[in-house]
Amino acid sequence: MPTTVEVDVTSRSNPIRCGTNHGVTDRLTPARASLMGLAVGDALGEALDTTGLDLPPAPWHWTDDTEMACSVVHVLATRGHLDAAALADSFVARYDEARNYGPGVDAMIREVSRRGVSLARLATETFGGDGSWGTGAAMRVAPLGAWYHDDPELAAREAVASAEVTHTHPEGVAGAVATAVAASLAAAGATAADLLDEVLHRTPTGKVYDGLRDAADLADASAGEAAATLGDGARRSAPDTVPLALWVAAQHLDDYAAAVRAAAPVADDVDTVCAIVGGIVAGRLGESAIPAQWRQACEPLPAWIRHHP
């Protein structure tokens, strides 16, 4: 049976630290590979959305998907766990208006600077207090799943804490949980046949869950057929985006280029879908699985994450 939306998040007041023999280096290697896969997918997807070319000319510039995912990895590497307050601080400190942030997060970060209130508090006030169910929490979370490659349950709990910094609607949270669990399982070597079923087992019930259930029944579909059934990201919502991204990743777990190439033509929100897919698959295969030409074409990650940690 699926979990309910009341995921245990006691880690926010009493942080859960790595409880296995995996050290920071063991966790950071797949997390950084996932981050690079996310960045390349994001940047290529953004370039494709602009040019429509099969392989756009370099350089490819990444968006807020990557900027915020860098903060996720930074907090994990420096704290050893997901510290929600530190993540919020990093989001605000690293904000770059040129990165095409979604309007909700963009407005909240600007409001933090103007009013001096916390980002998490503003997140609870959006959409009349319902919170956002957009893709922001899901698009940045794959490296967290790769970090917890030995513990998908912990990946799910920490994904909740990471999501609620900006997205408090249950569907926005569920999108982050599903993506983090998929990345955790993929990095641990899960098979395509098992991946979506295991993600379903840990995803809160709701529209994201329903989409993933439909995705699990589309093993023999084409990417176009899957997008027609699951959604292509046009609504910029977690239910409209995460099921397709996880379906594509599950179909191409062992081929990064094939995964991104499958996602790009059928996605409306190309950079977000490709970022999620790229983060899941690269966390499994390692950075070397990303075509060298693509890595070279992608804008480098920001210096603060390349050199620290």
Side-chain angles (χ1 to χ4, degrees), residues 42-153:
D42 176 24
L44 175 55
E46 178 73 356
L48 286 169
D49 199 33
T50 302
T51 68
L53 300 175
D54 179 58
L55 200 63
W60 306 338
H61 297 286
W62 36 260
T63 75
D64 59 323
D65 302 26
T66 299
E67 186 78 67
M68 300 184 88
C70 286
S71 286
V72 172
V73 174
H74 169 74
V75 169
L76 289 168
T78 55
R79 302 299 178 95
H81 66 283
L82 197 289
D83 182 319
L87 185 62
D89 289 344
S90 186
F91 285 161
V92 173
R94 309 298 182 183
Y95 170 73
D96 179 354
E97 63 181 350
R99 294 298 175 183
N100 195 27
Y101 283 70
V105 171
D106 184 85
M108 284 193 294
I109 292 179
R110 291 174 183 270
E111 194 73 356
V112 168
S113 301
R114 188 177 73 84
R115 289 171 51 193
V117 296
S118 73
L119 188 59
R121 173 184 164 186
L122 290 174
T124 67
E125 298 174 355
T126 60
F127 297 96
D130 291 335
S132 172
W133 68 347
T135 59
M139 73 189 186
R140 65 190 186 227
V141 80
L144 181 148
W147 176 273
Y148 289 117
H149 56 272
D150 60 327
D151 195 338
E153 299 291 349

Side-chain angles (χ1 to χ4, degrees), residues 7 40-41 50 67 83 89 117 119 131 146 164-165 175 181 184 187 193 215 226 235 238 271 277 279 292 299:
V7 180
V40 172
T50 302
E67 186 78 67
D83 182 319
D89 289 344
V117 296
L119 188 59
E164 290 186 343
V165 174
V181 170
S184 173
R235 298 177 182 176
D271 62 290
V277 170
E299 173 188 7

Side-chain angles (χ1 to χ4, degrees), residues 263-304:
V266 300
D268 184 273
D269 191 357
V270 187
D271 62 290
T272 297
V273 175
C274 289
I276 294 172
V277 170
I280 292 170
V281 177
R284 175 188 182 87
L285 302 179
E287 190 173 326
S288 63
I290 306 168
Q293 181 184 3
W294 295 15
R295 282 181 275 139
Q296 292 161 6
C298 180
E299 173 188 7
L301 293 175
W304 60 269

